[in-house]
Amino acid sequence: MFRGGYMSFVKRSLGLLTLSLSVLLVSETDPRGAFKAQVPVQSSAANAGETTQAKIARALSAGPPNVSKSARVIDTDAQGKTIVLREGSNGFTCMPGNPTVIGDPPMCADAASMQWARDFKAHKPKPTNKVPGITYMLAGATQRSDTDPFDTTSPPIQVGPHWMIMWPFDPKATGLPVTHRETGAYIMWPGSPYAHVHVMGRP
């Protein structure tokens, strides 16, 4: 996607989030059923016997059709080496994830989001992407915590289809809520350098 079109998309998305705030603030919350998928830098191999086409199909299920149809698809082997399952042309990368691993869902992410994820995995003080990233997890996911980015011990929770804007949003500046909601948008991991806007449902 061209940068100008990308930034316009982000601006439109933020505008919609702002306009929807009055609706979002009256949505019911359920902290015990908080949903969110931690973003891995790339997927891990789900099953050595799984076909390439099955992995590609699962990866593409994470993004909207207009994104996934031209996205690059990658996976990792047992040694952690990246494997390209299909080349792409629109700047997005989709990954099949591993259904047996918590926090490793199918996902589609643009270059800025991939940088965000690499920084997150490396525990850098803050993300280094210079523009907002877009990440799709429309096939659902699992997650440990809705508030702690690096929680690895809490019981797994299920998450429904969602997408994210990977940028350090400030709750006070945006007015967006910080508690989980099953519909609408809120700021995920508030107070941490990896806070970002989490939008439940499909775009």
PDB file of all heavy atoms in Angstrom, residues 121-141:
ATOM      1  N   LYS A 121       9.336  -8.336  21.175  1.00  0.00           N
ATOM      2  CA  LYS A 121       9.982  -9.612  21.474  1.00  0.00           C
ATOM      3  C   LYS A 121      11.356  -9.404  22.099  1.00  0.00           C
ATOM      4  O   LYS A 121      11.774 -10.172  22.976  1.00  0.00           O
ATOM      5  CB  LYS A 121      10.111 -10.451  20.196  1.00  0.00           C
ATOM      6  CG  LYS A 121      10.663 -11.842  20.439  1.00  0.00           C
ATOM      7  CD  LYS A 121      10.707 -12.654  19.163  1.00  0.00           C
ATOM      8  CE  LYS A 121      11.218 -14.065  19.439  1.00  0.00           C
ATOM      9  NZ  LYS A 121      11.294 -14.879  18.186  1.00  0.00           N
ATOM     10  N   ALA A 122      12.052  -8.349  21.683  1.00  0.00           N
ATOM     11  CA  ALA A 122      13.388  -8.053  22.207  1.00  0.00           C
ATOM     12  C   ALA A 122      13.337  -7.292  23.531  1.00  0.00           C
ATOM     13  O   ALA A 122      14.379  -6.967  24.097  1.00  0.00           O
ATOM     14  CB  ALA A 122      14.176  -7.247  21.181  1.00  0.00           C
ATOM     15  N   HIS A 123      12.123  -6.987  24.023  1.00  0.00           N
ATOM     16  CA  HIS A 123      11.940  -6.231  25.275  1.00  0.00           C
ATOM     17  C   HIS A 123      12.643  -4.874  25.209  1.00  0.00           C
ATOM     18  O   HIS A 123      13.211  -4.407  26.206  1.00  0.00           O
ATOM     19  CB  HIS A 123      12.435  -7.026  26.476  1.00  0.00           C
ATOM     20  CG  HIS A 123      11.535  -8.155  26.861  1.00  0.00           C
ATOM     21  ND1 HIS A 123      11.120  -8.367  28.152  1.00  0.00           N
ATOM     22  CD2 HIS A 123      10.963  -9.142  26.134  1.00  0.00           C
ATOM     23  CE1 HIS A 123      10.335  -9.426  28.211  1.00  0.00           C
ATOM     24  NE2 HIS A 123      10.231  -9.912  26.984  1.00  0.00           N
ATOM     25  N   LYS A 124      12.571  -4.227  24.056  1.00  0.00           N
ATOM     26  CA  LYS A 124      13.152  -2.897  23.955  1.00  0.00           C
ATOM     27  C   LYS A 124      12.342  -1.913  24.798  1.00  0.00           C
ATOM     28  O   LYS A 124      11.161  -2.141  25.065  1.00  0.00           O
ATOM     29  CB  LYS A 124      13.181  -2.443  22.490  1.00  0.00           C
ATOM     30  CG  LYS A 124      14.202  -3.199  21.655  1.00  0.00           C
ATOM     31  CD  LYS A 124      14.347  -2.590  20.281  1.00  0.00           C
ATOM     32  CE  LYS A 124      15.437  -3.301  19.480  1.00  0.00           C
ATOM     33  NZ  LYS A 124      15.634  -2.700  18.137  1.00  0.00           N
ATOM     34  N   PRO A 125      12.954  -0.812  25.247  1.00  0.00           N
ATOM     35  CA  PRO A 125      12.245   0.139  26.115  1.00  0.00           C
ATOM     36  C   PRO A 125      10.948   0.658  25.508  1.00  0.00           C
ATOM     37  O   PRO A 125      10.000   0.957  26.235  1.00  0.00           O
ATOM     38  CB  PRO A 125      13.257   1.264  26.310  1.00  0.00           C
ATOM     39  CG  PRO A 125      14.584   0.608  26.105  1.00  0.00           C
ATOM     40  CD  PRO A 125      14.363  -0.426  25.050  1.00  0.00           C
ATOM     41  N   LYS A 126      10.907   0.779  24.173  1.00  0.00           N
ATOM     42  CA  LYS A 126       9.688   1.211  23.506  1.00  0.00           C
ATOM     43  C   LYS A 126       9.769   0.805  22.037  1.00  0.00           C
ATOM     44  O   LYS A 126      10.862   0.532  21.511  1.00  0.00           O
ATOM     45  CB  LYS A 126       9.500   2.714  23.630  1.00  0.00           C
ATOM     46  CG  LYS A 126      10.589   3.537  22.965  1.00  0.00           C
ATOM     47  CD  LYS A 126      10.312   5.025  23.135  1.00  0.00           C
ATOM     48  CE  LYS A 126      11.391   5.870  22.463  1.00  0.00           C
ATOM     49  NZ  LYS A 126      11.111   7.314  22.608  1.00  0.00           N
ATOM     50  N   PRO A 127       8.640   0.767  21.349  1.00  0.00           N
ATOM     51  CA  PRO A 127       8.663   0.425  19.922  1.00  0.00           C
ATOM     52  C   PRO A 127       9.417   1.487  19.127  1.00  0.00           C
ATOM     53  O   PRO A 127       9.425   2.664  19.497  1.00  0.00           O
ATOM     54  CB  PRO A 127       7.175   0.406  19.531  1.00  0.00           C
ATOM     55  CG  PRO A 127       6.430   0.319  20.824  1.00  0.00           C
ATOM     56  CD  PRO A 127       7.268   0.983  21.842  1.00  0.00           C
ATOM     57  N   THR A 128      10.042   1.075  18.035  1.00  0.00           N
ATOM     58  CA  THR A 128      10.823   2.009  17.220  1.00  0.00           C
ATOM     59  C   THR A 128      10.179   2.309  15.870  1.00  0.00           C
ATOM     60  O   THR A 128      10.760   3.050  15.076  1.00  0.00           O
ATOM     61  CB  THR A 128      12.249   1.472  16.986  1.00  0.00           C
ATOM     62  OG1 THR A 128      12.168   0.205  16.312  1.00  0.00           O
ATOM     63  CG2 THR A 128      12.989   1.298  18.298  1.00  0.00           C
ATOM     64  N   ASN A 129       8.998   1.750  15.601  1.00  0.00           N
ATOM     65  CA  ASN A 129       8.339   2.099  14.336  1.00  0.00           C
ATOM     66  C   ASN A 129       8.005   3.584  14.323  1.00  0.00           C
ATOM     67  O   ASN A 129       7.578   4.145  15.329  1.00  0.00           O
ATOM     68  CB  ASN A 129       7.093   1.245  14.090  1.00  0.00           C
ATOM     69  CG  ASN A 129       6.130   1.195  15.251  1.00  0.00           C
ATOM     70  OD1 ASN A 129       6.474   0.725  16.331  1.00  0.00           O
ATOM     71  ND2 ASN A 129       4.917   1.676  15.030  1.00  0.00           N
ATOM     72  N   LYS A 130       8.191   4.224  13.163  1.00  0.00           N
ATOM     73  CA  LYS A 130       8.027   5.674  13.041  1.00  0.00           C
ATOM     74  C   LYS A 130       6.628   6.090  12.605  1.00  0.00           C
ATOM     75  O   LYS A 130       6.282   7.269  12.637  1.00  0.00           O
ATOM     76  CB  LYS A 130       9.046   6.227  12.036  1.00  0.00           C
ATOM     77  CG  LYS A 130      10.500   5.926  12.410  1.00  0.00           C
ATOM     78  CD  LYS A 130      10.869   6.503  13.771  1.00  0.00           C
ATOM     79  CE  LYS A 130      12.337   6.258  14.097  1.00  0.00           C
ATOM     80  NZ  LYS A 130      12.694   6.731  15.456  1.00  0.00           N
ATOM     81  N   VAL A 131       5.838   5.141  12.157  1.00  0.00           N
ATOM     82  CA  VAL A 131       4.453   5.410  11.759  1.00  0.00           C
ATOM     83  C   VAL A 131       3.565   4.346  12.404  1.00  0.00           C
ATOM     84  O   VAL A 131       4.047   3.272  12.774  1.00  0.00           O
ATOM     85  CB  VAL A 131       4.273   5.373  10.221  1.00  0.00           C
ATOM     86  CG1 VAL A 131       5.058   6.493   9.565  1.00  0.00           C
ATOM     87  CG2 VAL A 131       4.674   4.013   9.656  1.00  0.00           C
ATOM     88  N   PRO A 132       2.261   4.616  12.572  1.00  0.00           N
ATOM     89  CA  PRO A 132       1.370   3.599  13.141  1.00  0.00           C
ATOM     90  C   PRO A 132       1.328   2.354  12.271  1.00  0.00           C
ATOM     91  O   PRO A 132       1.394   2.430  11.048  1.00  0.00           O
ATOM     92  CB  PRO A 132       0.010   4.305  13.164  1.00  0.00           C
ATOM     93  CG  PRO A 132       0.334   5.761  13.164  1.00  0.00           C
ATOM     94  CD  PRO A 132       1.566   5.888  12.318  1.00  0.00           C
ATOM     95  N   GLY A 133       1.220   1.212  12.913  1.00  0.00           N
ATOM     96  CA  GLY A 133       1.089  -0.055  12.201  1.00  0.00           C
ATOM     97  C   GLY A 133      -0.322  -0.590  12.309  1.00  0.00           C
ATOM     98  O   GLY A 133      -1.075  -0.218  13.217  1.00  0.00           O
ATOM     99  N   ILE A 134      -0.689  -1.449  11.383  1.00  0.00           N
ATOM    100  CA  ILE A 134      -1.987  -2.110  11.401  1.00  0.00           C
ATOM    101  C   ILE A 134      -1.756  -3.616  11.481  1.00  0.00           C
ATOM    102  O   ILE A 134      -0.995  -4.180  10.692  1.00  0.00           O
ATOM    103  CB  ILE A 134      -2.813  -1.794  10.141  1.00  0.00           C
ATOM    104  CG1 ILE A 134      -3.070  -0.281  10.035  1.00  0.00           C
ATOM    105  CG2 ILE A 134      -4.127  -2.570  10.142  1.00  0.00           C
ATOM    106  CD1 ILE A 134      -3.969   0.282  11.093  1.00  0.00           C
ATOM    107  N   THR A 135      -2.405  -4.259  12.444  1.00  0.00           N
ATOM    108  CA  THR A 135      -2.331  -5.706  12.604  1.00  0.00           C
ATOM    109  C   THR A 135      -3.741  -6.272  12.642  1.00  0.00           C
ATOM    110  O   THR A 135      -4.595  -5.767  13.374  1.00  0.00           O
ATOM    111  CB  THR A 135      -1.598  -6.090  13.901  1.00  0.00           C
ATOM    112  OG1 THR A 135      -0.271  -5.588  13.866  1.00  0.00           O
ATOM    113  CG2 THR A 135      -1.554  -7.602  14.074  1.00  0.00           C
ATOM    114  N   TYR A 136      -3.981  -7.317  11.858  1.00  0.00           N
ATOM    115  CA  TYR A 136      -5.278  -7.990  11.844  1.00  0.00           C
ATOM    116  C   TYR A 136      -5.162  -9.368  12.476  1.00  0.00           C
ATOM    117  O   TYR A 136      -4.225 -10.118  12.188  1.00  0.00           O
ATOM    118  CB  TYR A 136      -5.782  -8.160  10.409  1.00  0.00           C
ATOM    119  CG  TYR A 136      -6.044  -6.860   9.686  1.00  0.00           C
ATOM    120  CD1 TYR A 136      -5.144  -6.387   8.729  1.00  0.00           C
ATOM    121  CD2 TYR A 136      -7.191  -6.117   9.928  1.00  0.00           C
ATOM    122  CE1 TYR A 136      -5.375  -5.196   8.048  1.00  0.00           C
ATOM    123  CE2 TYR A 136      -7.437  -4.919   9.257  1.00  0.00           C
ATOM    124  CZ  TYR A 136      -6.523  -4.475   8.315  1.00  0.00           C
ATOM    125  OH  TYR A 136      -6.750  -3.304   7.646  1.00  0.00           O
ATOM    126  N   MET A 137      -6.122  -9.709  13.330  1.00  0.00           N
ATOM    127  CA  MET A 137      -6.260 -11.058  13.887  1.00  0.00           C
ATOM    128  C   MET A 137      -7.735 -11.442  13.805  1.00  0.00           C
ATOM    129  O   MET A 137      -8.407 -11.651  14.816  1.00  0.00           O
ATOM    130  CB  MET A 137      -5.741 -11.105  15.323  1.00  0.00           C
ATOM    131  CG  MET A 137      -4.256 -10.851  15.438  1.00  0.00           C
ATOM    132  SD  MET A 137      -3.683 -11.008  17.142  1.00  0.00           S
ATOM    133  CE  MET A 137      -1.943 -10.604  16.934  1.00  0.00           C
ATOM    134  N   LEU A 138      -8.230 -11.543  12.588  1.00  0.00           N
ATOM    135  CA  LEU A 138      -9.659 -11.752  12.376  1.00  0.00           C
ATOM    136  C   LEU A 138     -10.089 -13.202  12.539  1.00  0.00           C
ATOM    137  O   LEU A 138     -11.286 -13.506  12.468  1.00  0.00           O
ATOM    138  CB  LEU A 138     -10.048 -11.239  10.980  1.00  0.00           C
ATOM    139  CG  LEU A 138      -9.719  -9.763  10.696  1.00  0.00           C
ATOM    140  CD1 LEU A 138     -10.290  -9.347   9.347  1.00  0.00           C
ATOM    141  CD2 LEU A 138     -10.228  -8.856  11.807  1.00  0.00           C
ATOM    142  N   ALA A 139      -9.136 -14.099  12.757  1.00  0.00           N
ATOM    143  CA  ALA A 139      -9.473 -15.508  12.996  1.00  0.00           C
ATOM    144  C   ALA A 139      -9.526 -15.819  14.487  1.00  0.00           C
ATOM    145  O   ALA A 139      -9.696 -16.969  14.876  1.00  0.00           O
ATOM    146  CB  ALA A 139      -8.457 -16.413  12.297  1.00  0.00           C
ATOM    147  N   GLY A 140      -9.368 -14.793  15.328  1.00  0.00           N
ATOM    148  CA  GLY A 140      -9.364 -15.006  16.764  1.00  0.00           C
ATOM    149  C   GLY A 140      -7.982 -15.362  17.278  1.00  0.00           C
ATOM    150  O   GLY A 140      -7.036 -15.533  16.507  1.00  0.00           O
ATOM    151  N   ALA A 141      -7.870 -15.469  18.607  1.00  0.00           N
ATOM    152  CA  ALA A 141      -6.559 -15.693  19.205  1.00  0.00           C
ATOM    153  C   ALA A 141      -6.707 -16.106  20.665  1.00  0.00           C
ATOM    154  O   ALA A 141      -7.810 -16.203  21.200  1.00  0.00           O
ATOM    155  CB  ALA A 141      -5.732 -14.416  19.103  1.00  0.00           C
TER     156      ALA A 141
END
